[in-house]
Amino acid sequence: MKLLEEKILKDAKILDGNIIKVDSFLNHRLETDFLDKLAMEIANYFSGKGINKILTIEASGIALAILTAVHMDNIPVVFAKKARSKNISAKVFSSKVESYTYGKFYNVTVSKEYLNSSDKLLIIDDFLATGFAMEGLIDISKQAKADIIGLSVAIEKGFQNGGDNLRKKGFDLLSLAVVDSIENNTIIFRHL
Amino acid sequence: MKLLEEKILKDAKILDGNIIKVDSFLNHRLETDFLDKLAMEIANYFSGKGINKILTIEASGIALAILTAVHMDNIPVVFAKKARSKNISAKVFSSKVESYTYGKFYNVTVSKEYLNSSDKLLIIDDFLATGFAMEGLIDISKQAKADIIGLSVAIEKGFQNGGDNLRKKGFDLLSLAVVDSIENNTIIFRHL
């Protein structure tokens, strides 16, 4: 998506360790009209596919998910919670996820009340790098016997392979921008 | 707001300790069209007051905040982060907040890049009980020398006094529903 690529080139900061900092518009300060355009793009791509629920993860997936839901006939959104506790309630689906940035493990949990086998899911997040968080959401969806119709993220870091692994497994993954590499502080996008 | 009161009576669960569980529509599963109606009510109430930014806190304030922002000419939203770390960067405004539910302290932080003295803020959260989280957001706003035009929450637990304390301090607080007491598992609302 050209709009997002231009925005990244204009506003993103590149930190040590190939971290792309986009907290000026995507995950700390939220640029409402811009996020709404991303949401519309996602909604258009997945329209007509029978999706009846969006699954995302706290905190920075929530804004993009709810705006997308508005453009998909106001379908509900469920956001998974991150729990550090070792004691996970029997009332939730949970999946253990490694945090690449922090090197720690956390549990992604969703109440069993809010995911079930009649769900046709679109899973949304702001970022996809290793794909560990997305794999956790997929694991939970499978535990609930829900159908996963598609996955979407704003920014995929192509060089960390999470997205390619998901595509190889057959998932319909829409990444609005794919960063293929960062060379000398310059971001190179992937185009198919 | 009658719509929210009816929804609470219909869908909320009352747990031990006077906890009102509304995660079926407000803070785990998000009922998109319903939240959008709450957002419209907030936007209407504060329209024409020169608000140029919404401040909220992760995770469950984000959905209501971004939907309200859409109805306020797409103004930006900044969501404060919750940090447990004792080492807080000099690049953020931070305020120490007690979690009433968990009895622990955490820091509310916002990057200094995203709040400043030209801001006219509406502060939004899903719940207001003791008001500790809201006080943290107010503290941060004052550190940034921003103007606080108003505060809004979906549900105020009137019997925990956080809302009344804020009103006494002169804040324009819009609570879409105020629960005054819970008696024999029945929720009693406050009406002015």
PDB file of all heavy atoms in Angstrom, chain A residues 13 23-24 27-30 32 58-59 74-77 79 81 111 113-114, chain B residues 13 23-24 27-30 32 58-59 75-79 81 111 113-114:
ATOM      1  N   LYS A  13      11.154   6.077  12.495  1.00  0.00           N
ATOM      2  CA  LYS A  13      12.545   6.197  12.904  1.00  0.00           C
ATOM      3  C   LYS A  13      13.146   4.795  12.966  1.00  0.00           C
ATOM      4  O   LYS A  13      12.472   3.843  13.363  1.00  0.00           O
ATOM      5  CB  LYS A  13      12.636   6.855  14.280  1.00  0.00           C
ATOM      6  CG  LYS A  13      12.256   8.326  14.248  1.00  0.00           C
ATOM      7  CD  LYS A  13      12.243   8.910  15.642  1.00  0.00           C
ATOM      8  CE  LYS A  13      11.627  10.302  15.617  1.00  0.00           C
ATOM      9  NZ  LYS A  13      11.257  10.756  16.972  1.00  0.00           N
ATOM     10  N   ASP A  23       5.749   4.931  16.368  1.00  0.00           N
ATOM     11  CA  ASP A  23       4.797   5.290  17.420  1.00  0.00           C
ATOM     12  C   ASP A  23       4.234   6.703  17.255  1.00  0.00           C
ATOM     13  O   ASP A  23       3.382   7.109  18.025  1.00  0.00           O
ATOM     14  CB  ASP A  23       5.359   5.036  18.833  1.00  0.00           C
ATOM     15  CG  ASP A  23       6.520   5.915  19.185  1.00  0.00           C
ATOM     16  OD1 ASP A  23       6.887   6.772  18.359  1.00  0.00           O
ATOM     17  OD2 ASP A  23       7.063   5.747  20.294  1.00  0.00           O
ATOM     18  N   SER A  24       4.651   7.406  16.222  1.00  0.00           N
ATOM     19  CA  SER A  24       4.045   8.714  15.973  1.00  0.00           C
ATOM     20  C   SER A  24       2.697   8.607  15.278  1.00  0.00           C
ATOM     21  O   SER A  24       1.916   9.556  15.265  1.00  0.00           O
ATOM     22  CB  SER A  24       4.980   9.592  15.134  1.00  0.00           C
ATOM     23  OG  SER A  24       5.128   9.045  13.839  1.00  0.00           O
ATOM     24  N   ASN A  27       1.319   3.161  16.981  1.00  0.00           N
ATOM     25  CA  ASN A  27       1.198   2.411  18.221  1.00  0.00           C
ATOM     26  C   ASN A  27       1.535   3.136  19.531  1.00  0.00           C
ATOM     27  O   ASN A  27       1.876   2.499  20.518  1.00  0.00           O
ATOM     28  CB  ASN A  27       1.950   1.066  18.132  1.00  0.00           C
ATOM     29  CG  ASN A  27       3.340   1.220  17.547  1.00  0.00           C
ATOM     30  OD1 ASN A  27       3.927   2.289  17.643  1.00  0.00           O
ATOM     31  ND2 ASN A  27       3.861   0.172  16.956  1.00  0.00           N
ATOM     32  N   HIS A  28       1.401   4.448  19.505  1.00  0.00           N
ATOM     33  CA  HIS A  28       1.425   5.205  20.775  1.00  0.00           C
ATOM     34  C   HIS A  28       0.557   6.452  20.566  1.00  0.00           C
ATOM     35  O   HIS A  28      -0.491   6.600  21.181  1.00  0.00           O
ATOM     36  CB  HIS A  28       2.862   5.548  21.160  1.00  0.00           C
ATOM     37  CG  HIS A  28       3.014   6.199  22.506  1.00  0.00           C
ATOM     38  ND1 HIS A  28       2.045   6.166  23.464  1.00  0.00           N
ATOM     39  CD2 HIS A  28       4.058   6.892  23.062  1.00  0.00           C
ATOM     40  CE1 HIS A  28       2.462   6.823  24.547  1.00  0.00           C
ATOM     41  NE2 HIS A  28       3.672   7.272  24.323  1.00  0.00           N
ATOM     42  N   ARG A  29       1.009   7.318  19.655  1.00  0.00           N
ATOM     43  CA  ARG A  29       0.094   8.308  19.094  1.00  0.00           C
ATOM     44  C   ARG A  29      -0.595   7.646  17.899  1.00  0.00           C
ATOM     45  O   ARG A  29       0.072   7.010  17.066  1.00  0.00           O
ATOM     46  CB  ARG A  29       0.874   9.543  18.634  1.00  0.00           C
ATOM     47  CG  ARG A  29       0.016  10.636  18.003  1.00  0.00           C
ATOM     48  CD  ARG A  29       0.888  11.818  17.591  1.00  0.00           C
ATOM     49  NE  ARG A  29       0.126  12.869  16.944  1.00  0.00           N
ATOM     50  CZ  ARG A  29      -0.181  12.885  15.639  1.00  0.00           C
ATOM     51  NH1 ARG A  29       0.221  11.910  14.846  1.00  0.00           N
ATOM     52  NH2 ARG A  29      -0.889  13.877  15.131  1.00  0.00           N
ATOM     53  N   LEU A  30      -1.919   7.772  17.866  1.00  0.00           N
ATOM     54  CA  LEU A  30      -2.688   7.145  16.785  1.00  0.00           C
ATOM     55  C   LEU A  30      -3.211   8.227  15.860  1.00  0.00           C
ATOM     56  O   LEU A  30      -3.963   9.110  16.303  1.00  0.00           O
ATOM     57  CB  LEU A  30      -3.869   6.362  17.372  1.00  0.00           C
ATOM     58  CG  LEU A  30      -3.525   5.327  18.448  1.00  0.00           C
ATOM     59  CD1 LEU A  30      -4.801   4.747  19.060  1.00  0.00           C
ATOM     60  CD2 LEU A  30      -2.651   4.224  17.883  1.00  0.00           C
ATOM     61  N   THR A  32      -5.659   9.189  13.615  1.00  0.00           N
ATOM     62  CA  THR A  32      -6.979   8.595  13.411  1.00  0.00           C
ATOM     63  C   THR A  32      -7.352   8.460  11.935  1.00  0.00           C
ATOM     64  O   THR A  32      -7.716   7.363  11.478  1.00  0.00           O
ATOM     65  CB  THR A  32      -8.041   9.434  14.156  1.00  0.00           C
ATOM     66  OG1 THR A  32      -7.630   9.541  15.524  1.00  0.00           O
ATOM     67  CG2 THR A  32      -9.408   8.798  14.081  1.00  0.00           C
ATOM     68  N   GLU A  58      -4.001  -7.095  22.583  1.00  0.00           N
ATOM     69  CA  GLU A  58      -3.706  -5.808  23.223  1.00  0.00           C
ATOM     70  C   GLU A  58      -2.227  -5.496  23.090  1.00  0.00           C
ATOM     71  O   GLU A  58      -1.424  -6.402  23.011  1.00  0.00           O
ATOM     72  CB  GLU A  58      -4.130  -5.838  24.697  1.00  0.00           C
ATOM     73  CG  GLU A  58      -3.315  -6.809  25.529  1.00  0.00           C
ATOM     74  CD  GLU A  58      -3.702  -6.764  27.018  1.00  0.00           C
ATOM     75  OE1 GLU A  58      -4.627  -6.053  27.408  1.00  0.00           O
ATOM     76  OE2 GLU A  58      -3.033  -7.472  27.782  1.00  0.00           O
ATOM     77  N   ALA A  59      -1.818  -4.222  23.111  1.00  0.00           N
ATOM     78  CA  ALA A  59      -2.700  -3.096  23.089  1.00  0.00           C
ATOM     79  C   ALA A  59      -2.752  -2.492  21.687  1.00  0.00           C
ATOM     80  O   ALA A  59      -3.791  -1.997  21.256  1.00  0.00           O
ATOM     81  CB  ALA A  59      -2.176  -2.023  24.048  1.00  0.00           C
ATOM     82  N   ASN A  74     -19.739  -3.445  11.173  1.00  0.00           N
ATOM     83  CA  ASN A  74     -19.756  -3.419  12.643  1.00  0.00           C
ATOM     84  C   ASN A  74     -19.673  -4.792  13.297  1.00  0.00           C
ATOM     85  O   ASN A  74     -20.283  -5.019  14.357  1.00  0.00           O
ATOM     86  CB  ASN A  74     -21.010  -2.690  13.149  1.00  0.00           C
ATOM     87  CG  ASN A  74     -20.908  -1.188  12.983  1.00  0.00           C
ATOM     88  OD1 ASN A  74     -19.888  -0.598  13.311  1.00  0.00           O
ATOM     89  ND2 ASN A  74     -21.970  -0.581  12.477  1.00  0.00           N
ATOM     90  N   ILE A  75     -18.918  -5.687  12.690  1.00  0.00           N
ATOM     91  CA  ILE A  75     -18.727  -6.991  13.350  1.00  0.00           C
ATOM     92  C   ILE A  75     -17.966  -6.797  14.659  1.00  0.00           C
ATOM     93  O   ILE A  75     -17.224  -5.823  14.821  1.00  0.00           O
ATOM     94  CB  ILE A  75     -17.975  -7.995  12.440  1.00  0.00           C
ATOM     95  CG1 ILE A  75     -16.613  -7.430  11.970  1.00  0.00           C
ATOM     96  CG2 ILE A  75     -18.834  -8.358  11.245  1.00  0.00           C
ATOM     97  CD1 ILE A  75     -15.778  -8.434  11.189  1.00  0.00           C
ATOM     98  N   PRO A  76     -18.142  -7.698  15.619  1.00  0.00           N
ATOM     99  CA  PRO A  76     -17.438  -7.537  16.901  1.00  0.00           C
ATOM    100  C   PRO A  76     -15.940  -7.817  16.789  1.00  0.00           C
ATOM    101  O   PRO A  76     -15.485  -8.490  15.863  1.00  0.00           O
ATOM    102  CB  PRO A  76     -18.107  -8.580  17.802  1.00  0.00           C
ATOM    103  CG  PRO A  76     -18.701  -9.582  16.874  1.00  0.00           C
ATOM    104  CD  PRO A  76     -19.075  -8.839  15.625  1.00  0.00           C
ATOM    105  N   VAL A  77     -15.213  -7.257  17.750  1.00  0.00           N
ATOM    106  CA  VAL A  77     -13.758  -7.469  17.870  1.00  0.00           C
ATOM    107  C   VAL A  77     -13.515  -8.157  19.210  1.00  0.00           C
ATOM    108  O   VAL A  77     -14.128  -7.795  20.215  1.00  0.00           O
ATOM    109  CB  VAL A  77     -13.012  -6.121  17.865  1.00  0.00           C
ATOM    110  CG1 VAL A  77     -11.522  -6.320  18.190  1.00  0.00           C
ATOM    111  CG2 VAL A  77     -13.189  -5.407  16.523  1.00  0.00           C
ATOM    112  N   PHE A  79     -10.271  -8.796  21.704  1.00  0.00           N
ATOM    113  CA  PHE A  79      -8.816  -8.633  21.834  1.00  0.00           C
ATOM    114  C   PHE A  79      -8.266  -9.583  22.882  1.00  0.00           C
ATOM    115  O   PHE A  79      -8.757  -9.682  24.004  1.00  0.00           O
ATOM    116  CB  PHE A  79      -8.379  -7.183  22.062  1.00  0.00           C
ATOM    117  CG  PHE A  79      -8.741  -6.534  23.364  1.00  0.00           C
ATOM    118  CD1 PHE A  79      -7.939  -6.677  24.492  1.00  0.00           C
ATOM    119  CD2 PHE A  79      -9.863  -5.728  23.452  1.00  0.00           C
ATOM    120  CE1 PHE A  79      -8.261  -6.040  25.675  1.00  0.00           C
ATOM    121  CE2 PHE A  79     -10.206  -5.085  24.640  1.00  0.00           C
ATOM    122  CZ  PHE A  79      -9.398  -5.246  25.757  1.00  0.00           C
ATOM    123  N   LYS A  81      -5.617 -11.001  25.572  1.00  0.00           N
ATOM    124  CA  LYS A  81      -4.866 -10.338  26.623  1.00  0.00           C
ATOM    125  C   LYS A  81      -3.521 -11.016  26.794  1.00  0.00           C
ATOM    126  O   LYS A  81      -3.362 -12.196  26.499  1.00  0.00           O
ATOM    127  CB  LYS A  81      -5.674 -10.381  27.920  1.00  0.00           C
ATOM    128  CG  LYS A  81      -7.045  -9.728  27.704  1.00  0.00           C
ATOM    129  CD  LYS A  81      -7.805  -9.461  28.965  1.00  0.00           C
ATOM    130  CE  LYS A  81      -9.102  -8.712  28.600  1.00  0.00           C
ATOM    131  NZ  LYS A  81      -9.801  -8.187  29.750  1.00  0.00           N
ATOM    132  N   SER A 111     -11.051 -15.395  26.575  1.00  0.00           N
ATOM    133  CA  SER A 111     -12.131 -16.102  27.272  1.00  0.00           C
ATOM    134  C   SER A 111     -12.837 -17.073  26.321  1.00  0.00           C
ATOM    135  O   SER A 111     -13.121 -16.735  25.172  1.00  0.00           O
ATOM    136  CB  SER A 111     -13.147 -15.088  27.798  1.00  0.00           C
ATOM    137  OG  SER A 111     -14.326 -15.777  28.176  1.00  0.00           O
ATOM    138  N   GLU A 113     -15.726 -17.826  26.283  1.00  0.00           N
ATOM    139  CA  GLU A 113     -17.049 -17.311  25.915  1.00  0.00           C
ATOM    140  C   GLU A 113     -17.056 -16.599  24.564  1.00  0.00           C
ATOM    141  O   GLU A 113     -18.110 -16.430  23.962  1.00  0.00           O
ATOM    142  CB  GLU A 113     -17.532 -16.302  26.969  1.00  0.00           C
ATOM    143  CG  GLU A 113     -17.878 -16.897  28.303  1.00  0.00           C
ATOM    144  CD  GLU A 113     -18.369 -15.817  29.260  1.00  0.00           C
ATOM    145  OE1 GLU A 113     -19.508 -15.358  29.102  1.00  0.00           O
ATOM    146  OE2 GLU A 113     -17.578 -15.433  30.156  1.00  0.00           O
ATOM    147  N   TYR A 114     -15.872 -16.109  24.139  1.00  0.00           N
ATOM    148  CA  TYR A 114     -15.889 -15.147  23.027  1.00  0.00           C
ATOM    149  C   TYR A 114     -15.263 -15.638  21.732  1.00  0.00           C
ATOM    150  O   TYR A 114     -15.082 -14.875  20.785  1.00  0.00           O
ATOM    151  CB  TYR A 114     -15.253 -13.830  23.473  1.00  0.00           C
ATOM    152  CG  TYR A 114     -15.945 -13.275  24.698  1.00  0.00           C
ATOM    153  CD1 TYR A 114     -15.231 -12.844  25.801  1.00  0.00           C
ATOM    154  CD2 TYR A 114     -17.337 -13.244  24.755  1.00  0.00           C
ATOM    155  CE1 TYR A 114     -15.889 -12.376  26.929  1.00  0.00           C
ATOM    156  CE2 TYR A 114     -18.000 -12.789  25.874  1.00  0.00           C
ATOM    157  CZ  TYR A 114     -17.267 -12.350  26.966  1.00  0.00           C
ATOM    158  OH  TYR A 114     -17.921 -11.906  28.079  1.00  0.00           O
TER     159      TYR A 114
ATOM    160  N   LYS B  13     -22.189  -8.886  34.338  1.00  0.00           N
ATOM    161  CA  LYS B  13     -22.229  -9.869  35.420  1.00  0.00           C
ATOM    162  C   LYS B  13     -21.641  -9.211  36.660  1.00  0.00           C
ATOM    163  O   LYS B  13     -20.693  -8.428  36.569  1.00  0.00           O
ATOM    164  CB  LYS B  13     -21.412 -11.099  35.053  1.00  0.00           C
ATOM    165  CG  LYS B  13     -22.052 -11.906  33.942  1.00  0.00           C
ATOM    166  CD  LYS B  13     -21.154 -13.060  33.529  1.00  0.00           C
ATOM    167  CE  LYS B  13     -21.694 -13.710  32.262  1.00  0.00           C
ATOM    168  NZ  LYS B  13     -20.678 -14.563  31.626  1.00  0.00           N
ATOM    169  N   ASP B  23     -17.131  -7.542  30.101  1.00  0.00           N
ATOM    170  CA  ASP B  23     -16.205  -7.884  29.029  1.00  0.00           C
ATOM    171  C   ASP B  23     -16.898  -8.508  27.825  1.00  0.00           C
ATOM    172  O   ASP B  23     -16.256  -8.788  26.830  1.00  0.00           O
ATOM    173  CB  ASP B  23     -15.027  -8.718  29.552  1.00  0.00           C
ATOM    174  CG  ASP B  23     -15.420 -10.099  30.022  1.00  0.00           C
ATOM    175  OD1 ASP B  23     -16.609 -10.434  29.935  1.00  0.00           O
ATOM    176  OD2 ASP B  23     -14.530 -10.837  30.463  1.00  0.00           O
ATOM    177  N   SER B  24     -18.201  -8.650  27.877  1.00  0.00           N
ATOM    178  CA  SER B  24     -18.913  -9.136  26.691  1.00  0.00           C
ATOM    179  C   SER B  24     -19.141  -8.048  25.653  1.00  0.00           C
ATOM    180  O   SER B  24     -19.441  -8.334  24.503  1.00  0.00           O
ATOM    181  CB  SER B  24     -20.257  -9.750  27.083  1.00  0.00           C
ATOM    182  OG  SER B  24     -21.118  -8.755  27.595  1.00  0.00           O
ATOM    183  N   ASN B  27     -14.749  -4.492  27.250  1.00  0.00           N
ATOM    184  CA  ASN B  27     -13.295  -4.567  27.447  1.00  0.00           C
ATOM    185  C   ASN B  27     -12.642  -5.928  27.264  1.00  0.00           C
ATOM    186  O   ASN B  27     -11.573  -6.188  27.811  1.00  0.00           O
ATOM    187  CB  ASN B  27     -12.902  -3.948  28.803  1.00  0.00           C
ATOM    188  CG  ASN B  27     -13.784  -4.421  29.934  1.00  0.00           C
ATOM    189  OD1 ASN B  27     -14.336  -5.506  29.860  1.00  0.00           O
ATOM    190  ND2 ASN B  27     -13.917  -3.608  30.971  1.00  0.00           N
ATOM    191  N   HIS B  28     -13.256  -6.761  26.435  1.00  0.00           N
ATOM    192  CA  HIS B  28     -12.555  -7.976  25.977  1.00  0.00           C
ATOM    193  C   HIS B  28     -13.132  -8.305  24.597  1.00  0.00           C
ATOM    194  O   HIS B  28     -12.449  -8.218  23.588  1.00  0.00           O
ATOM    195  CB  HIS B  28     -12.734  -9.108  26.992  1.00  0.00           C
ATOM    196  CG  HIS B  28     -11.944 -10.350  26.666  1.00  0.00           C
ATOM    197  ND1 HIS B  28     -10.898 -10.361  25.791  1.00  0.00           N
ATOM    198  CD2 HIS B  28     -12.049 -11.647  27.127  1.00  0.00           C
ATOM    199  CE1 HIS B  28     -10.399 -11.598  25.713  1.00  0.00           C
ATOM    200  NE2 HIS B  28     -11.077 -12.383  26.509  1.00  0.00           N
ATOM    201  N   ARG B  29     -14.430  -8.641  24.596  1.00  0.00           N
ATOM    202  CA  ARG B  29     -15.161  -8.604  23.335  1.00  0.00           C
ATOM    203  C   ARG B  29     -15.684  -7.180  23.186  1.00  0.00           C
ATOM    204  O   ARG B  29     -16.232  -6.602  24.144  1.00  0.00           O
ATOM    205  CB  ARG B  29     -16.332  -9.584  23.378  1.00  0.00           C
ATOM    206  CG  ARG B  29     -17.186  -9.587  22.116  1.00  0.00           C
ATOM    207  CD  ARG B  29     -18.317 -10.621  22.256  1.00  0.00           C
ATOM    208  NE  ARG B  29     -19.191 -10.646  21.117  1.00  0.00           N
ATOM    209  CZ  ARG B  29     -20.246  -9.830  20.939  1.00  0.00           C
ATOM    210  NH1 ARG B  29     -20.541  -8.922  21.842  1.00  0.00           N
ATOM    211  NH2 ARG B  29     -20.989  -9.918  19.850  1.00  0.00           N
ATOM    212  N   LEU B  30     -15.476  -6.598  22.014  1.00  0.00           N
ATOM    213  CA  LEU B  30     -15.908  -5.211  21.772  1.00  0.00           C
ATOM    214  C   LEU B  30     -17.104  -5.237  20.824  1.00  0.00           C
ATOM    215  O   LEU B  30     -16.991  -5.722  19.692  1.00  0.00           O
ATOM    216  CB  LEU B  30     -14.765  -4.410  21.142  1.00  0.00           C
ATOM    217  CG  LEU B  30     -13.431  -4.430  21.904  1.00  0.00           C
ATOM    218  CD1 LEU B  30     -12.340  -3.740  21.086  1.00  0.00           C
ATOM    219  CD2 LEU B  30     -13.574  -3.777  23.267  1.00  0.00           C
ATOM    220  N   THR B  32     -18.901  -3.521  18.410  1.00  0.00           N
ATOM    221  CA  THR B  32     -18.485  -2.364  17.626  1.00  0.00           C
ATOM    222  C   THR B  32     -19.567  -1.300  17.494  1.00  0.00           C
ATOM    223  O   THR B  32     -19.331  -0.116  17.794  1.00  0.00           O
ATOM    224  CB  THR B  32     -18.018  -2.832  16.234  1.00  0.00           C
ATOM    225  OG1 THR B  32     -16.993  -3.820  16.428  1.00  0.00           O
ATOM    226  CG2 THR B  32     -17.461  -1.678  15.420  1.00  0.00           C
ATOM    227  N   GLU B  58      -3.825   2.253  27.768  1.00  0.00           N
ATOM    228  CA  GLU B  58      -3.975   0.874  27.300  1.00  0.00           C
ATOM    229  C   GLU B  58      -4.580   0.013  28.398  1.00  0.00           C
ATOM    230  O   GLU B  58      -4.408   0.327  29.573  1.00  0.00           O
ATOM    231  CB  GLU B  58      -2.627   0.307  26.850  1.00  0.00           C
ATOM    232  CG  GLU B  58      -1.614   0.169  27.988  1.00  0.00           C
ATOM    233  CD  GLU B  58      -0.305  -0.458  27.525  1.00  0.00           C
ATOM    234  OE1 GLU B  58      -0.100  -0.685  26.328  1.00  0.00           O
ATOM    235  OE2 GLU B  58       0.543  -0.721  28.400  1.00  0.00           O
ATOM    236  N   ALA B  59      -5.256  -1.067  28.059  1.00  0.00           N
ATOM    237  CA  ALA B  59      -5.642  -1.439  26.716  1.00  0.00           C
ATOM    238  C   ALA B  59      -7.107  -1.087  26.461  1.00  0.00           C
ATOM    239  O   ALA B  59      -7.475  -0.722  25.366  1.00  0.00           O
ATOM    240  CB  ALA B  59      -5.463  -2.951  26.526  1.00  0.00           C
ATOM    241  N   ILE B  75      -9.436  13.752  15.170  1.00  0.00           N
ATOM    242  CA  ILE B  75      -8.300  14.218  15.976  1.00  0.00           C
ATOM    243  C   ILE B  75      -7.459  13.011  16.417  1.00  0.00           C
ATOM    244  O   ILE B  75      -7.956  11.897  16.503  1.00  0.00           O
ATOM    245  CB  ILE B  75      -8.764  15.034  17.209  1.00  0.00           C
ATOM    246  CG1 ILE B  75      -9.739  14.216  18.095  1.00  0.00           C
ATOM    247  CG2 ILE B  75      -9.398  16.346  16.767  1.00  0.00           C
ATOM    248  CD1 ILE B  75     -10.117  14.931  19.378  1.00  0.00           C
ATOM    249  N   PRO B  76      -6.172  13.213  16.679  1.00  0.00           N
ATOM    250  CA  PRO B  76      -5.319  12.094  17.087  1.00  0.00           C
ATOM    251  C   PRO B  76      -5.627  11.604  18.503  1.00  0.00           C
ATOM    252  O   PRO B  76      -6.186  12.336  19.319  1.00  0.00           O
ATOM    253  CB  PRO B  76      -3.901  12.669  17.009  1.00  0.00           C
ATOM    254  CG  PRO B  76      -4.077  14.141  17.113  1.00  0.00           C
ATOM    255  CD  PRO B  76      -5.418  14.463  16.516  1.00  0.00           C
ATOM    256  N   VAL B  77      -5.267  10.372  18.746  1.00  0.00           N
ATOM    257  CA  VAL B  77      -5.383   9.750  20.074  1.00  0.00           C
ATOM    258  C   VAL B  77      -3.979   9.391  20.552  1.00  0.00           C
ATOM    259  O   VAL B  77      -3.162   8.913  19.761  1.00  0.00           O
ATOM    260  CB  VAL B  77      -6.227   8.445  20.001  1.00  0.00           C
ATOM    261  CG1 VAL B  77      -6.197   7.694  21.336  1.00  0.00           C
ATOM    262  CG2 VAL B  77      -7.647   8.744  19.566  1.00  0.00           C
ATOM    263  N   VAL B  78      -3.702   9.628  21.803  1.00  0.00           N
ATOM    264  CA  VAL B  78      -2.458   9.120  22.398  1.00  0.00           C
ATOM    265  C   VAL B  78      -2.852   8.160  23.506  1.00  0.00           C
ATOM    266  O   VAL B  78      -3.696   8.496  24.340  1.00  0.00           O
ATOM    267  CB  VAL B  78      -1.599  10.262  22.972  1.00  0.00           C
ATOM    268  CG1 VAL B  78      -0.413   9.694  23.765  1.00  0.00           C
ATOM    269  CG2 VAL B  78      -1.105  11.162  21.851  1.00  0.00           C
ATOM    270  N   PHE B  79      -2.301   6.943  23.451  1.00  0.00           N
ATOM    271  CA  PHE B  79      -2.610   6.059  24.586  1.00  0.00           C
ATOM    272  C   PHE B  79      -1.394   5.895  25.483  1.00  0.00           C
ATOM    273  O   PHE B  79      -0.287   5.622  25.025  1.00  0.00           O
ATOM    274  CB  PHE B  79      -3.226   4.721  24.166  1.00  0.00           C
ATOM    275  CG  PHE B  79      -2.357   3.742  23.414  1.00  0.00           C
ATOM    276  CD1 PHE B  79      -1.513   2.860  24.095  1.00  0.00           C
ATOM    277  CD2 PHE B  79      -2.421   3.669  22.034  1.00  0.00           C
ATOM    278  CE1 PHE B  79      -0.747   1.933  23.400  1.00  0.00           C
ATOM    279  CE2 PHE B  79      -1.653   2.750  21.324  1.00  0.00           C
ATOM    280  CZ  PHE B  79      -0.805   1.879  22.010  1.00  0.00           C
ATOM    281  N   LYS B  81       0.965   4.194  28.273  1.00  0.00           N
ATOM    282  CA  LYS B  81       1.341   2.796  28.475  1.00  0.00           C
ATOM    283  C   LYS B  81       1.498   2.517  29.957  1.00  0.00           C
ATOM    284  O   LYS B  81       1.789   3.419  30.738  1.00  0.00           O
ATOM    285  CB  LYS B  81       2.636   2.516  27.717  1.00  0.00           C
ATOM    286  CG  LYS B  81       2.464   2.848  26.241  1.00  0.00           C
ATOM    287  CD  LYS B  81       3.575   2.343  25.361  1.00  0.00           C
ATOM    288  CE  LYS B  81       3.212   2.662  23.911  1.00  0.00           C
ATOM    289  NZ  LYS B  81       4.115   2.019  22.949  1.00  0.00           N
ATOM    290  N   SER B 111       5.179   9.327  25.920  1.00  0.00           N
ATOM    291  CA  SER B 111       6.351   9.976  25.337  1.00  0.00           C
ATOM    292  C   SER B 111       6.181  11.496  25.335  1.00  0.00           C
ATOM    293  O   SER B 111       5.108  12.008  25.000  1.00  0.00           O
ATOM    294  CB  SER B 111       6.547   9.493  23.900  1.00  0.00           C
ATOM    295  OG  SER B 111       7.463  10.337  23.244  1.00  0.00           O
ATOM    296  N   GLU B 113       7.172  13.443  23.297  1.00  0.00           N
ATOM    297  CA  GLU B 113       6.924  13.921  21.926  1.00  0.00           C
ATOM    298  C   GLU B 113       5.441  14.134  21.641  1.00  0.00           C
ATOM    299  O   GLU B 113       5.094  14.863  20.709  1.00  0.00           O
ATOM    300  CB  GLU B 113       7.435  12.898  20.909  1.00  0.00           C
ATOM    301  CG  GLU B 113       8.938  12.762  20.851  1.00  0.00           C
ATOM    302  CD  GLU B 113       9.335  11.731  19.794  1.00  0.00           C
ATOM    303  OE1 GLU B 113       9.252  12.059  18.592  1.00  0.00           O
ATOM    304  OE2 GLU B 113       9.720  10.607  20.182  1.00  0.00           O
ATOM    305  N   TYR B 114       4.574  13.447  22.412  1.00  0.00           N
ATOM    306  CA  TYR B 114       3.173  13.385  21.987  1.00  0.00           C
ATOM    307  C   TYR B 114       2.175  14.123  22.873  1.00  0.00           C
ATOM    308  O   TYR B 114       0.961  14.010  22.680  1.00  0.00           O
ATOM    309  CB  TYR B 114       2.755  11.921  21.780  1.00  0.00           C
ATOM    310  CG  TYR B 114       3.677  11.221  20.821  1.00  0.00           C
ATOM    311  CD1 TYR B 114       4.236   9.990  21.106  1.00  0.00           C
ATOM    312  CD2 TYR B 114       4.042  11.840  19.619  1.00  0.00           C
ATOM    313  CE1 TYR B 114       5.109   9.375  20.230  1.00  0.00           C
ATOM    314  CE2 TYR B 114       4.918  11.241  18.733  1.00  0.00           C
ATOM    315  CZ  TYR B 114       5.457  10.008  19.041  1.00  0.00           C
ATOM    316  OH  TYR B 114       6.328   9.416  18.179  1.00  0.00           O
TER     317      TYR B 114
END
